[in-house]
Amino acid sequence: MTDPLLSVRNLTMDIPVGGGTLHAVRGIDFDLNRGETLCIVGESGSGKSLTSLALMGLLGKGIQRSADRMTFDGIELTKASKRQMRALRGGRMSMIFQEPMTSLNPAYTIGDQLAEALLLHRTVTREQARARAVELLEKVGITAAESRLSQYPHQLSGGLRQRVMIAMALMCEPELIIADEPTTALDVTIQAQILRLLYDLGREMNMAMILITHDLGVVARVADKVAVMYAGELVETGPVAEIFNTPSHPYTRGLLRCIPLPGKTERGKSLGTIPGIVPSLVGSVEGCVFRTRCPHATMECRGAIPQHHDGEHAFRCIFADGKRHSDKELTA
């Protein structure tokens, strides 16, 4: 069996704040093979975007990052120099950011911004870079691609800007693409087109992809693996079919109850909800972070939480099947 393209073990991030230290991300573990799509799903503020920025080496100076292992094709990212990271970013690893209008430079044309990545990472002429830009703009579904090169970001619609961001990420044919909620600002029809495009391009180019989202409907359509994130931890990971068919963590089951199922959810019937709010991660964080919102919480949930494994399917819960085995139910 070949080694994974990306391997992460015990990724942790702490942020100094006024009241102490915010333990934003704790003990993240996952592997990603070439050609696979991993969806990281969870509520806003769970640490999904921070995790992606840590992989790309784009964290702010105040954020303290540590990991037992964080390797990309055998390169240890935690020990990589700034020069090595600049060579990887855009060349072998690319990122599609959440809001293209804040990621594209308003002072430069689309053509100049697309060509820049290829000129920086490959030995090509400007004419070759522009030809590659036209090719990729056409591939991502932009008509009259050559004329778009002279336009500025503000002259394009939101959907076109997002397609330009995808083309920019693909300029150097990267082995890994990280897409951080790439369809949040788009309408539903454009969302579907962008997701289909990413999925098809990933299969065509054998790229690994990390897709960050809070939409489980998206996950069901494009993922090979799913990582469910809550309050800075991965509470459940596994193949997409197992996560949807046999969810084991109470938080995962709660998320699935919140989405309507075609043919099963009755019209007018209320969807499920998860009561409560995400706990503060400032100061000491002990026990199960979901216990204040979990209907099955017991006093045991305040202690160490074991991780259960069933093949590639893993989850954190004091119960081996993620369910309460006793009628005793306490507020932890």
Side-chain angles (χ1 to χ4, degrees):
M1 184 176 179
T2 58
D3 293 333
L5 175 67
L6 180 67
S7 181
V8 177
R9 292 293 180 274
N10 196 27
L11 173 61
T12 299
M13 280 176 277
D14 295 329
I15 306 173
V17 294
T21 300
L22 172 65
H23 304 290
V25 173
R26 303 177 311 286
I28 299 298
D29 296 343
F30 64 85
D31 291 325
L32 185 63
N33 298 315
R34 296 179 187 275
E36 283 186 333
T37 297
L38 168 69
C39 282
I40 303 179
V41 62
E43 296 175 68
S44 297
S46 60
K48 305 185 300 297
S49 294
L50 265 181
T51 300
S52 67
L53 292 172
L55 295 172
M56 296 293 291
L58 295 174
L59 294 171
K61 291 183 178 180
I63 301 176
Q64 301 163 4
R65 180 191 71 176
S66 66
D68 294 343
R69 181 170 81 242
M70 192 165 71
T71 59
F72 173 77
D73 196 23
I75 301 170
E76 180 53 62
L77 299 179
T78 58
K79 297 179 181 178
S81 65
K82 290 183 179 179
R83 184 175 181 178
Q84 284 178 303
M85 288 305 301
R86 281 197 298 269
L88 288 174
R89 280 195 301 264
R92 300 183 64 191
M93 304 165 58
S94 291
M95 188 164 180
I96 303 167
F97 294 94
Q98 192 172 49
E99 176 45 66
M101 198 56 193
T102 59
S103 304
L104 294 170
N105 193 322
Y108 292 90
T109 64
I110 295 302
D112 286 341
Q113 294 184 65
L114 285 167
E116 182 183 19
L118 201 61
L119 292 169
L120 182 63
H121 294 284
R122 301 287 188 269
T123 305
V124 297
T125 64
R126 182 163 291 276
E127 289 72 24
Q128 289 172 322
R130 288 179 69 84
R132 172 69 172 166
V134 171
E135 176 191 346
L136 284 174
L137 288 179
E138 291 174 346
K139 186 179 284 288
V140 299
I142 294 180
T143 57
E146 192 161 0
S147 66
R148 301 288 186 182
L149 297 183
S150 60
Q151 292 185 315
Y152 289 85
H154 73 273
Q155 295 176 289
L156 304 180
S157 67
L160 287 177
R161 286 195 295 265
Q162 195 61 275
R163 290 171 188 268
V164 168
M165 285 292 298
I166 294 172
M168 189 179 297
L170 295 172
M171 283 294 287
C172 296
E173 298 186 5
E175 296 152 70
L176 170 66
I177 279 190
I178 301 174
D180 185 4
E181 300 198 30
T183 61
T184 298
L186 306 177
D187 62 63
V188 176
T189 55
I190 300 298
Q191 283 184 24
Q193 292 174 15
I194 295 294
L195 290 169
R196 185 78 243 176
L197 174 64
L198 283 171
Y199 179 82
D200 291 342
L201 289 172
R203 291 296 185 269
E204 179 184 335
M205 299 182 176
N206 196 34
M207 293 184 302
M209 181 166 67
I210 296 176
L211 177 62
I212 295 169
T213 182
H214 57 265
D215 187 340
L216 284 169
V218 168
V219 173
R221 291 195 295 272
V222 303
D224 296 304
K225 297 177 178 177
V226 182
V228 181
M229 199 164 189
Y230 178 78
E233 292 181 345
L234 291 183
V235 295
E236 187 164 3
T237 58
V240 63
E242 293 188 27
I243 296 295
F244 275 82
N245 295 330
T246 56
S248 297
H249 194 279
Y251 178 62
T252 309
R253 296 201 300 270
L255 287 178
L256 290 171
R257 284 196 298 269
C258 295
I259 59 174
L261 299 175
K264 293 184 179 180
T265 303
E266 296 178 18
R267 183 180 295 274
K269 185 178 179 180
S270 298
L271 297 175
T273 59
I274 303 176
I277 59 174
V278 178
S280 171
L281 300 177
V282 177
S284 177
V285 180
E286 298 177 347
C288 176
V289 287
F290 187 60
R291 68 180 186 271
T292 56
R293 306 174 70 184
C294 180
H296 309 306
T298 73
M299 297 301 292
E300 297 174 74
C301 298
R302 294 175 180 267
I305 307 300
Q307 178 154 300
H308 305 280
H309 291 270
D310 181 10
E312 294 185 35
H313 191 178
F315 66 97
R316 297 175 183 271
C317 189
I318 62 169
F319 303 118
D321 62 355
K323 299 178 181 178
R324 181 168 54 93
H325 286 266
S326 168
D327 289 335
K328 183 179 181 183
E329 191 167 312
L330 304 175
T331 302

